[in-house]
């Protein structure tokens, strides 16, 4: 079934090379401001997928992101930020990119064109019905991603997708598609721009809402964040001070004693309710 790739349609702007820097930035920003509204239209689709993810993760399953190029890199970024931000195991949210980790920094030619490789990559992680797989592709036509989701469907694994083209093969393959229509790019076909921004926003929503539902945030604080540098240690101390209404010296000793913000708060006798 043919469809129109709006992400490949001609830009709303022409003669870019004749624009001065201020014009370029103003027009790029003008295009970018349309992205949040496009994402807003997809909130019901995002919610439906998150419900599935939360259920599977509560049962011990994992979340996989799969993509190629910019889409793959965005998935890897979101997955890699879950452990330090929310204190979850590194194998709870996993990002896979066509061409392997080397493709994070350098494009691997034709890596996305294999319809079998995505499923092979998932099998290395012993993918099962306990897991959820989200394919990410602005075009909605990436064989690496579509092939993987097709095999997941065959094996009764929950599938979702994030794409920017309505009626795409990927959207038609995923059980829980998220389609964010951002229209033509400022530079024709450069889907790392508005489409990439939309995908990043959706990924932020998926991982953050999921982790909140899993109890990884209290109030509005990341109680389970990893204390991996001085900035985060200082943030942890301030969180304990605020939560327990105690002085910095006491909060510092609590954090040193318990090693995590959550444990420090839970083990303090006069913890606020």
């Amino acid at each position: 079934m043919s469809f129109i790739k709006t992400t490949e349609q001609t830009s709303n702007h022409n003669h870019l090379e004749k624009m001065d820097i201020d014009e370029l930035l103003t027009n790029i920003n003008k295009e970018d401001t349309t992205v949040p509204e496009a994402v807003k239209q997809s909130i019901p689709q995002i919610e439906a997928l998150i419900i599935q993810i939360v259920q599977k993760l509560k049962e011990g399953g994992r979340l996989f992101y799969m993509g190629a190029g910019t889409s793959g890199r965005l998935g890897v970024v979101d997955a890699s930020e879950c452990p330090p931000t929310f204190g979850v195991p590194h194998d709870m949210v996993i990002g896979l990119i066509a061409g392997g980790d080397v493709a994070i920094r350098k494009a691997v030619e034709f890596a996305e064109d294999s319809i079998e490789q995505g499923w092979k990559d998932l099998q290395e992680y012993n993918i099962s019905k306990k897991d959820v797989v989200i394919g990410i592709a602005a075009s909605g036509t990436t064989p690496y991603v579509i092939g993987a989701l097709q095999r997941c469907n065959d094996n009764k694994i929950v599938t979702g997708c994030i794409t920017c083209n309505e009626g795409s093969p990927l959207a038609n393959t995923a059980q829980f598609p998220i389609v964010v229509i951002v229209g033509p790019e400022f530079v024709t076909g450069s889907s790392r721009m508005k489409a990439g921004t939309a995908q990043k926003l959706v990924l932020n929503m998926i991982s953050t809402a999921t982790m909140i539902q899993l109890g990884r945030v209290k109030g509005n604080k990341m109680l389970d964040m990893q204390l991996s540098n001085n900035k985060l240690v200082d943030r942890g101390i301030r969180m304990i001070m605020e939560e327990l209404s105690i002085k910095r010296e006491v909060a510092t000793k609590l954090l040193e004693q318990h090693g995590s913000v959550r444990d420090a708060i839970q083990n303090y006798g006069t913890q606020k309710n």
Side-chain angles (χ1 to χ4, degrees):
M1 176 178 170
S2 62
F3 71 103
I4 298 174
K5 290 186 185 180
T6 55
T7 55
E8 296 288 336
Q9 289 184 324
T10 300
S11 172
N12 297 319
H13 307 266
N14 202 355
H15 306 301
L16 307 188
E17 73 281 4
K18 295 181 181 179
M19 295 181 185
D20 61 28
I21 294 175
D22 179 69
E23 280 184 286
L24 288 169
L25 300 181
T26 298
N27 287 324
I28 290 172
N29 179 250
K30 182 179 179 181
E31 291 292 335
D32 286 345
T33 58
T34 67
V35 176
E37 181 60 33
V39 172
K40 180 181 177 181
Q41 301 302 315
S42 301
I43 285 179
Q45 295 178 325
I46 301 169
E47 179 184 12
L49 179 53
I50 290 174
I51 289 170
Q52 296 295 317
I53 296 168
V54 171
Q55 179 180 334
K56 291 295 185 179
L57 266 55
K58 282 183 176 180
E59 296 170 354
R62 299 163 296 175
L63 171 60
F64 287 84
Y65 296 135
M66 300 192 71
T70 297
S71 298
R73 294 181 189 103
L74 289 169
V76 170
V77 166
D78 197 72
S80 66
E81 289 177 347
C82 287
T85 304
F86 301 108
V88 297
H90 285 274
D91 62 353
M92 177 180 282
V93 184
I94 299 167
L96 300 178
I97 182 171
D101 285 354
V102 66
I104 296 172
R105 292 183 176 273
K106 184 177 180 181
V108 177
E109 292 185 1
F110 304 108
E112 67 178 61
D113 295 330
S114 170
I115 200 165
E116 297 293 338
Q117 189 59 48
W119 178 246
K120 291 178 182 177
D121 288 349
L122 286 171
Q123 286 182 302
E124 291 185 12
Y125 290 86
N126 296 314
I127 190 80
S128 76
K129 289 188 288 186
K130 295 193 302 181
D131 304 318
V132 178
V133 179
I134 300 178
I136 313 170
S139 67
T141 59
T142 307
Y144 174 83
V145 177
I146 295 170
L149 263 59
Q150 288 172 337
R151 297 295 295 273
C152 287
N153 289 339
D154 293 341
N155 286 273
K156 296 182 173 26
I157 297 166
V158 173
T159 57
C161 76
I162 306 170
T163 184
C164 296
N165 282 306
E166 192 170 11
S168 69
L170 179 59
N172 290 333
T173 298
Q175 299 163 26
F176 296 90
I178 296 170
V179 183
V180 185
I181 309 300
V182 296
E185 296 287 3
F186 180 72
V187 176
T188 299
S190 184
S191 55
R192 67 185 180 84
M193 300 187 78
K194 289 194 298 182
T197 300
Q199 290 173 328
K200 175 61 172 145
L201 291 176
V202 173
L203 287 165
N204 286 348
M205 296 168 83
I206 290 173
S207 56
T208 302
T210 294
M211 293 303 162
I212 292 171
Q213 290 287 301
L214 294 177
R216 292 290 174 167
V217 172
K218 185 177 187 297
N220 56 20
K221 304 295 194 301
M222 301 177 288
L223 295 192
D224 296 311
M225 66 179 184
Q226 294 177 357
L227 305 174
S228 55
N229 58 50
N230 290 333
K231 178 190 74 173
L232 297 180
V233 170
D234 180 69
R235 182 188 296 167
I237 291 169
R238 287 185 282 109
M239 288 165 62
I240 296 169
M241 291 171 61
E242 179 180 336
E243 182 70 19
L244 301 179
S245 298
I246 57 178
K247 294 182 178 180
R248 185 178 183 88
E249 299 77 34
V250 179
T252 301
K253 289 180 181 179
L254 278 171
L255 190 58
E256 291 174 350
Q257 178 183 354
H258 296 287
S260 82
V261 175
R262 182 181 293 276
D263 289 346
I265 292 173
Q266 289 182 341
N267 288 285
Y268 185 71
T270 57
Q271 177 180 345
K272 289 172 64 178
N273 293 320

